[in-house]
Amino acid sequence: MQTLTILGATGSIGRSTLHVVARHPDRYRVFALCAQRRAAELYEQCLRFAPRYAALVDPRAARELADRIAAAGLDTEVLAGPLALAELSAHEEVDTVMAAIVGGAGLAPTIAAARAGKRILLANKESLVMAGEVFLRACREGGATVLPIDSEHNAVFQCLPSDGGARRCPEGVRRIVLTASGGPFRRAPLAQMRDVTPEQACAHPNWSMGRKISVDSATMMNKGLELIEAFHLFGVPAARLDVLVHPQSIVHSLVEYDDGSVLAQMGNPDMRTPIAQALAHPQRIDSGVAPLDLVAIARLEFEAPDAHRFPCLQLAREALAAGGAAPCVLNAANEIAVAAFLGRAIRFTDIAAVTEGVLQAVGSRAAGSGIEEIFAIDEEARALARAHLARCTA
Ligand SMILES: NC(=O)c1ccc[n+]([C@@H]2O[C@H](COP(=O)([O-])OP(=O)(O)OC[C@H]3O[C@@H](n4cnc5c(N)ncnc54)[C@H](OP(=O)(O)O)[C@@H]3O)[C@@H](O)[C@H]2O)c1
């Protein structure tokens, strides 16, 4: 029986995790459910899964949740504030932490899980983008294992040879190729891109996801963040990481070997597959996902990404090449810009402009060597991004 803390329980990945967990009550016990402020959703999950703890960052929402839980006579104890999330990630009774908070807010509780030696199912790619070296060092020192949840990294993990848990890029791997759907604007006229609305940007053709990652997919910043994530997770040089647009999202990524073999992992575009793979690894369990019907799909298409259409992908590549603090700055600026776009304060095309402006303003800077330094760089980049927003016209 694995005991689980789920960070970001009310989100898209959190809910998909609970779908898989519900199919296997004999294998998984929910110890803690954590989110930011959606008390009603978390309450419903508490009724269904009866966790020992539930935590919300927002204290008012936590009070509302506590009142509901008391009225229902549940045993779940409610905690409030960001430190509660770190506590529940590191709790001695927890084996596995699903890290599925969106954005930089996921870093602190995920690092806490790393230091406490947990099995970390990592959906929160921003943790690795912001703090790659520091995060991996915390995992090594704490004895934590990381299993990737991003479908692309989960696919690569499955296509690399096993070396007893961790999968690092071995000799003989020529390239790792991350696939990308190309999002909703792969074919949209370029002149229309600046008038894209949040609703259009969030209407992903294949995946049902939270709003921030949906916008990142539409700009292809998501693929850029994933390149940085792959660089850290698999220890592969940036020059051997590639992106391939594959509109059907059936092939989730590929590993090319020196002998010409290319191993790919396929499946329907449903996050319950990588979640089930990581939860059960090295065993396999039913995820509830329908079998892949290749006859019905009939054709798989591939094309090179269009650098002109997706400047965010290039910005991420440059940040990865620059190293140091650049990936952390990229992530922070992008988060502020995406939130402003979702709030209709800037245009879709301003997301790349703001991010580029902040990267240039910060310039070359060493990466933070500890978590406090990383948070300081992150905060500085966010402040610069807010200043850049004022120069955009919505
Ligand atoms: N969705 C996917 O298919 C997918 C695929 C691959 C990777 N990922 C990655 O998985 C992560 C989650 O994505 P998602 O699509 O599930 O996002 P989402 O649907 O927007 O859910 C985000 C979750 O994070 C919580 N949260 C937001 N801000 C927080 C904060 N400041 N402190 C604590 N919790 C906070 C939310 O709580 P409230 O509901 O209370 O606000 C919610 O539970 C992201 O890093 C994303 O890149 C997602």
Side-chain angles (χ1 to χ4, degrees):
M1 181 67 85
Q2 266 186 62
T3 54
L4 294 176
T5 284
I6 302 181
L7 302 169
T10 50
S12 162
I13 293 288
R15 293 193 309 271
S16 293
T17 304
L18 289 171
H19 278 149
V20 178
V21 164
R23 299 178 85 84
H24 303 280
D26 51 324
R27 299 181 71 116
Y28 306 108
R29 181 167 69 87
V30 178
F31 179 78
L33 292 173
C34 309
Q36 184 184 27
R37 61 167 71 96
R38 280 193 283 176
E41 286 80 353
L42 200 59
Y43 170 68
E44 293 300 328
Q45 295 180 345
C46 289
L47 278 183
R48 172 93 172 73
F49 292 93
R52 174 95 72 84
Y53 293 99
L56 284 167
V57 171
D58 182 295
R60 193 164 352 145
R63 270 197 303 280
E64 181 194 331
L65 177 65
D67 289 347
R68 283 174 177 242
I69 281 184
L74 290 179
D75 281 338
T76 302
E77 187 176 331
V78 177
L79 306 179
L83 292 181
L85 273 53
E87 223 174 275
L88 294 173
S89 298
H91 197 286
E92 60 179 13
E93 285 184 47
V94 171
D95 306 308
T96 300
V97 174
M98 166 55 82
I101 288 173
V102 64
L107 178 57
T110 309
I111 281 269
R115 288 179 177 146
K118 303 302 180 192
R119 184 177 152 97
I120 301 172
L121 311 192
L122 188 71
N124 176 246
K125 66 195 87 187
E126 295 91 342
S127 288
L128 268 180
V129 173
M130 290 171 73
E133 292 304 323
V134 170
F135 177 74
L136 292 176
R137 195 187 331 127
C139 289
R140 277 194 305 276
E141 290 173 2
T145 31
V146 178
L147 292 150
I149 292 298
D150 242 326
S151 58
E152 297 77 3
H153 305 72
N154 184 273
V156 171
F157 179 86
Q158 294 192 53
C159 295
L160 286 173
S162 165
D163 64 355
R167 300 204 183 189
R168 304 293 287 172
C169 189
E171 286 293 307
V173 170
R174 188 184 286 158
R175 265 191 329 152
I176 286 181
V177 183
L178 304 183
T179 52
S181 69
F185 309 128
R186 186 171 58 91
R187 291 271 183 265
L190 279 176
Q192 286 176 16
M193 298 284 263
R194 68 192 294 272
D195 296 323
V196 159
T197 64
E199 291 71 26
Q200 290 167 327
C202 289
H204 196 280
N206 304 336
W207 297 95
S208 162
M209 307 184 287
R211 281 160 69 78
K212 191 260 181 185
I213 185 177
S214 295
V215 175
D216 285 348
S217 295
T219 61
M220 278 191 83
M221 177 61 89
N222 184 50
K223 211 50 51 182
L225 299 177
E226 288 177 5
L227 284 173
I228 301 170
E229 182 185 9
F231 170 81
H232 290 296
L233 269 180
F234 304 119
V236 56
R240 289 202 275 141
L241 282 170
D242 260 332
V243 172
L244 183 64
V245 172
H246 165 46
Q248 290 96 352
S249 300
I250 296 296
V251 174
H252 297 301
S253 279
L254 313 96
V255 177
E256 184 181 319
Y257 288 87
D258 284 340
D259 61 7
S261 301
V262 178
L263 301 193
Q265 186 261 354
M266 296 195 286
N268 285 317
D270 187 319
M271 288 306 293
R272 288 176 298 171
T273 294
I275 290 168
Q277 190 280 335
L279 271 172
H281 178 73
Q283 296 169 346
R284 297 278 178 170
I285 55 171
D286 172 34
S287 64
V289 175
L292 181 63
D293 183 348
L294 283 174
V295 173
I297 292 162
R299 287 174 63 83
L300 296 177
E301 293 156 8
F302 302 95
E303 63 194 43
D306 176 348
H308 190 52
R309 179 179 293 274
F310 298 114
C312 284
L313 179 58
Q314 187 54 26
L315 288 176
R317 276 200 175 281
E318 286 166 12
L320 175 57
C328 181
V329 171
L330 171 96
N331 180 67
N334 177 62
E335 260 187 66
I336 295 296
V338 169
F341 167 68
L342 286 171
R344 298 177 205 279
I346 63 170
R347 291 180 185 275
F348 182 73
T349 42
D350 290 332
I351 296 171
V354 168
T355 307
E356 184 173 15
V358 175
L359 280 165
Q360 281 172 359
V362 174
S364 155
R365 177 91 68 87
S369 58
I371 200 70
E372 293 312 324
E373 261 182 80
I374 285 166
F375 282 129
I377 294 167
D378 175 73
E379 204 33 67
E380 183 187 337
R382 282 169 198 265
L384 276 168
R386 286 186 199 100
H388 271 72
L389 293 180
R391 295 178 209 158
C392 302
T393 48

